[in-house]
Amino acid sequence: APAPAPAESSLAAASECLALIAGSSCCHMAVSAEPLFVRGVWGPYHAAMLPGLWLAEGGQSAAGKLLDHIIHSHRAHADLALKAAESHNNNLFACLNALACDQAALLNLPHVALLAEHVHVLPYFHGNRSPLADPTLVGCISGLTLSRSPLEELVILYIAILQALALGTRHIIEEMNKAGHHIAKLLVCGGLSHNPLYLQFHADATGFPAQLPAEHDAVLVGAAMLGATASGVFPSLEAVLRAMGRPGKHVEPTKDLASFYDRKFKVFRRMHADQLAYREMMSTR
């Protein structure tokens, strides 16, 4: 027999959330009571994630993979790896986060995000999946200079890429909400969700709170929930979610940075428009 649909109150809560599964690439998943068609977003698929609801799925074709590519190909990678081995248990991201905080403090910046005020990244190094649906797009970096040390440059570039990924999520949400979704909260899991700057930048760039699950490996717990429901241990997904799901860290947007990210987003969108303009210029013979 088909599983029962969620209660109306649960439906309202679910439809306000964007599930962000953040790893080497990213999935952006949202549900709605009615089918909503969004350009560049897959679906809608009926009952694909929750009974009775329509699933829409956007995504970024390169996220963690983009960070890995930039970090490991940068001339400062060896210095970073040495510092990470000395003080951060070989965790490159933890080391970069600490270096960013130190660099911001040295410059008397109130927020780490401001390190990349004039460095901008278009993160389409593997094309754009959503919402542009254009695999021919390429990555762009603006704001490089010879005046920084290699490690300082890598730290700022790292911050700019984290911001670009967050702005990409903002772009996806804006298009989904224009089409009738009512997203106002991020539910984040996956490897990148354990990076506090990734999480904070997503909250700041979108203007929405970000919620982590209490479980470290939420995807595995989700598989256990499905198994527990399918085997009859719980009567519905809603019941198993209430029993096995627990909220973890909650991150609120930084209000002081709203204007900063509004301006960053304008640059982000302009970089895409400029790329298309460059392509047109070079195609004219």
Side-chain angles (χ1 to χ4, degrees):
E8 187 174 342
S9 59
S10 298
L11 167 60
S15 64
E16 292 178 356
C17 297
L18 178 83
L20 177 60
I21 300 92
S24 55
S25 60
C26 283
C27 288
H28 299 68
M29 307 175 76
V31 293
S32 59
E34 301 296 331
L36 299 173
F37 293 85
V38 188
R39 180 186 178 277
V41 173
W42 294 356
Y45 307 111
H46 186 252
M49 187 166 72
L50 291 173
L53 302 182
W54 293 83
L55 171 67
E57 181 187 352
Q60 293 171 323
S61 53
K65 183 64 176 178
L66 174 57
L67 287 164
D68 287 344
H69 169 72
I70 294 298
I71 292 169
H72 288 274
S73 62
H74 197 276
R75 57 182 177 152
H77 174 256
D79 290 341
L80 175 67
L82 182 60
K83 285 183 175 291
E86 290 173 347
S87 56
H88 295 280
N89 197 28
N90 293 309
N91 187 323
L92 298 183
F93 295 113
C95 187
L96 282 166
N97 291 350
L99 289 171
C101 290
D102 291 344
Q103 204 162 315
L106 190 64
L107 296 171
N108 293 317
L109 296 176
H111 302 287
V112 171
L114 299 179
L115 284 171
E117 183 175 9
H118 299 295
V119 178
H120 311 286
V121 174
L122 193 67
Y124 303 156
F125 286 62
H126 199 47
N128 176 279
R129 177 181 160 188
S130 299
L132 302 173
D134 187 348
T136 69
L137 293 174
V138 297
C140 301
I141 300 172
S142 171
L144 300 182
T145 174
L146 290 176
S147 64
R148 307 183 185 102
S149 73
L151 196 53
E152 288 173 339
E153 178 189 82
L154 177 55
V155 168
I156 293 174
L157 187 55
Y158 164 71
I159 294 297
I161 293 171
L162 287 178
Q163 291 173 345
L165 294 174
L167 292 168
T169 293
R170 172 171 171 165
H171 191 194
I172 292 170
I173 292 173
E174 284 197 357
E175 293 302 313
M176 294 180 79
N177 282 347
K178 285 179 185 177
H181 285 276
H182 302 283
I183 297 164
K185 184 178 182 179
L186 309 177
L187 303 179
V188 193
C189 66
L192 281 176
S193 69
H194 305 304
N195 185 329
L197 286 187
Y198 177 89
L199 196 65
Q200 186 64 61
F201 288 1
H202 262 74
D204 293 343
T206 62
F208 298 139
Q211 179 73 60
L212 285 177
E215 295 77 11
H216 186 270
D217 292 312
V219 176
L220 296 180
V221 176
M225 289 178 177
L226 292 175
T229 305
S231 63
V233 176
F234 290 93
S236 67
L237 286 175
E238 185 176 5
V240 76
L241 284 168
R242 293 185 183 281
M244 297 177 62
R246 294 179 297 125
K249 182 178 180 180
H250 180 88
V251 176
E252 286 289 332
T254 307
K255 293 182 180 180
D256 292 349
L257 291 174
S259 174
F260 170 79
Y261 277 106
D262 286 345
R263 288 178 278 123
K264 268 272 185 179
F265 188 63
K266 289 180 181 178
V267 175
F268 182 83
R269 297 294 293 122
R270 178 67 176 267
M271 290 177 79
H272 169 243
D274 286 347
Q275 182 176 143
L276 297 182
Y278 301 156
R279 184 181 297 179
E280 178 66 22
M281 291 176 193
M282 296 308 297
S283 67
T284 303
R285 300 181 186 277

